Amino acid sequence: MDDKLIMTNLMDTSKGICELLGHAIVESDNATINESYKHVLEDCLTQQHQIYSMMKDMGWYPMENVKSREVDKVKNKFCCE
């Protein structure tokens, strides 16, 4: 298993955990547990961003620049006037 595959697996796992924590926050009825989940989610999001940054720096997570008119199209599709 190479480094890129390991990092991709870490990224996918991190995203999944963040998603599950988001659901747990929405579903938790107890305020103390809810706040605990929020803190754990914040840590998870920080770790996910660190993984993303490392992958980007290694050229393993290329990002495409989007033209502003494409952004405007999406905004217009989902926004009310």
Side-chain angles (χ1 to χ4, degrees), residues 4 8 11 52 54-65:
K4 181 180 179 182
T8 300
M11 174 68 85
Y52 159 76
M54 290 174 69
M55 291 183 73
K56 182 180 168 207
D57 291 346
M58 297 296 288
W60 297 336
Y61 207 104
M63 299 300 283
E64 182 180 327
N65 288 330

Side-chain angles (χ1 to χ4, degrees), residues 8-71:
T8 300
N9 286 338
L10 284 171
M11 174 68 85
D12 291 343
T13 301
S14 179
K15 286 179 179 180
I17 292 169
C18 290
E19 197 172 328
L20 289 172
L21 285 166
H23 287 289
I25 291 166
V26 170
E27 297 293 332
S28 64
D29 187 36
N30 181 291
T32 304
I33 292 173
N34 189 280
E35 285 302 312
S36 296
Y37 280 141
K38 287 179 184 178
H39 291 294
V40 174
L41 176 59
E42 187 176 321
D43 290 343
C44 186
L45 290 168
T46 298
Q47 289 176 356
Q48 184 276 327
H49 185 72
Q50 290 170 338
I51 295 166
Y52 159 76
S53 295
M54 290 174 69
M55 291 183 73
K56 182 180 168 207
D57 291 346
M58 297 296 288
W60 297 336
Y61 207 104
M63 299 300 283
E64 182 180 327
N65 288 330
V66 179
K67 294 182 168 74
S68 60
R69 68 175 172 257
E70 294 298 320
V71 173

